[in-house]
Amino acid sequence: MKKRLLILGGTGDAVELAAKASQIADIEVISSLAGRTKQPLTPKTGTVRIGGFGGATGLAEFLRCSPIDLLIDATHPFAAQISANAAIAAVECNVPHLMMVRPGWEMVEGDRWIEVANHSEAATALSGQSQRVFLTIGRQELAAFAGLDAIWFLMRAIDPPAPNTPVPNGKLLLARGPFSLADERQLLLEYRIDTIVSKNSGGAATYAKIVAARELGIPVVMVQRPPIPDVEQVADVEGAISWLVEQL
Ligand SMILES: NC(=O)c1ccc[n+]([C@@H]2O[C@H](COP(=O)([O-])OP(=O)(O)OC[C@H]3O[C@@H](n4cnc5c(N)ncnc54)[C@H](OP(=O)(O)O)[C@@H]3O)[C@@H](O)[C@H]2O)c1
């Protein structure tokens, strides 16, 4: 009988994992998306379910009722709540659980990073220092910058912010990565950006802006990742596939 794998997704890595895991004969793949974006990146293989589970308790119930044999958390490194819930639910239901965590970006020569712990520290770092800021943090954290009236913001997100969300003064660009180095360089020059705010997401899809900033000598306020649960981890899809094969 096939083992049922639940992939917590919402990333390009999760889509790739679903495709590769579906090729393993003894695995049935179920991917889960939060339902945040209007046109999500949806795996083309296996089943897809959309929407929250209702906290760790709801996820545990889902694991029991489906039932799920294996759990891989392939969510974004900043999606801390679902990862914490997954760790709790997996222990409660005794389901083998792996986190696929892509490595963070490391500062290299020429980078001018100001590393901060969260978005509110990022806002403090900008205050009095920057005039034209590229906010590449998505739409969920925009409110942290809404009080900085002296700064003009170029904000990039996949979908517009929810109605009634406080949004900083500036321009909203709706776009989904990957972004090329030429386009990122052009954007920084066209909008005369003097500072970038970025999450340390890791991966190649959104790294071009960091390279463009390095080339142009633009500082990057880099928001560090939230802590992750203490569970077994791999860095990429290949590692996750090896783990899956070990579980069969
Ligand atoms: N945060 C980012 O910067 C970022 C960037 C790119 C993609 N994403 C993706 O966007 C999704 C939401 O991110 P977030 O930062 O809002 O997450 P979060 O703060 O960790 O999660 C908030 C709640 O959203 C629901 N949820 C999150 N991911 C889910 C999934 N894959 N399947 C079902 N429910 C999920 C859960 O609701 P219940 O408690 O009701 O189960 C969770 O408690 C994630 O899937 C993540 O991979 C996030």
Side-chain angles (χ1 to χ4, degrees), residues 9-10 32-34 36 51-55 75-76 79-82 85 140 199:
S32 175
L33 303 176
R36 291 276 190 284
F53 296 97
T75 57
H76 189 271
Q81 186 60 59
I82 187 71
N85 294 351
Q140 294 194 85
K199 293 174 176 172

Side-chain angles (χ1 to χ4, degrees), residues 40-237:
L41 280 178
T42 312
K44 303 280 176 281
T45 40
T47 314
V48 179
R49 64 156 308 281
I50 298 182
F53 296 97
T57 315
L59 179 53
E61 199 176 309
F62 183 88
L63 296 179
R64 272 191 297 267
C65 295
S66 298
I68 296 296
D69 304 298
L70 301 165
L71 174 63
I72 299 185
D73 176 357
T75 57
H76 189 271
F78 279 76
Q81 186 60 59
I82 187 71
S83 293
N85 294 351
I88 295 167
V91 168
E92 191 183 315
C93 301
N94 202 20
V95 169
H97 170 211
L98 180 77
M99 280 188 82
M100 195 168 86
V101 189
R102 59 172 110 123
W105 298 317
E106 301 279 349
M107 217 186 314
V108 301
E109 200 181 331
D111 280 333
R112 296 175 59 197
W113 289 9
I114 301 148
E115 295 182 293
V116 295
N118 51 46
H119 290 92
S120 114
E121 274 191 23
T124 307
L126 296 178
S127 187
Q129 301 295 320
S130 308
Q131 269 112 49
R132 298 181 65 83
V133 173
F134 185 20
L135 270 186
T136 63
I137 52 163
R139 67 197 161 111
Q140 294 194 85
E141 313 287 349
L142 290 178
F145 301 88
L148 297 173
D149 295 333
I151 299 177
W152 183 90
F153 289 95
L154 179 66
M155 295 159 269
R156 184 164 66 195
I158 295 175
D159 289 318
N164 305 322
T165 308
V167 174
N169 154 53
K171 178 173 177 175
L172 181 65
L173 282 182
L174 297 182
R176 187 199 291 269
F179 303 104
S180 75
L181 178 55
D183 288 350
E184 297 293 58
R185 194 189 291 121
Q186 167 67 22
L187 209 60
L188 297 178
L189 292 171
E190 184 182 339
Y191 288 98
R192 292 177 288 114
I193 297 300
D194 62 30
T195 314
I196 296 176
V197 180
S198 172
K199 293 174 176 172
N200 192 339
S201 298
T206 58
Y207 188 60
K209 65 187 173 220
I210 307 299
V211 179
R214 184 185 308 139
E215 284 181 7
L216 297 171
I218 295 174
V220 178
V221 177
M222 187 66 83
V223 182
Q224 300 306 294
R225 296 172 170 203
I228 54 170
D230 185 15
V231 298
E232 191 173 351
Q233 279 179 41
V234 292
D236 51 25
V237 171

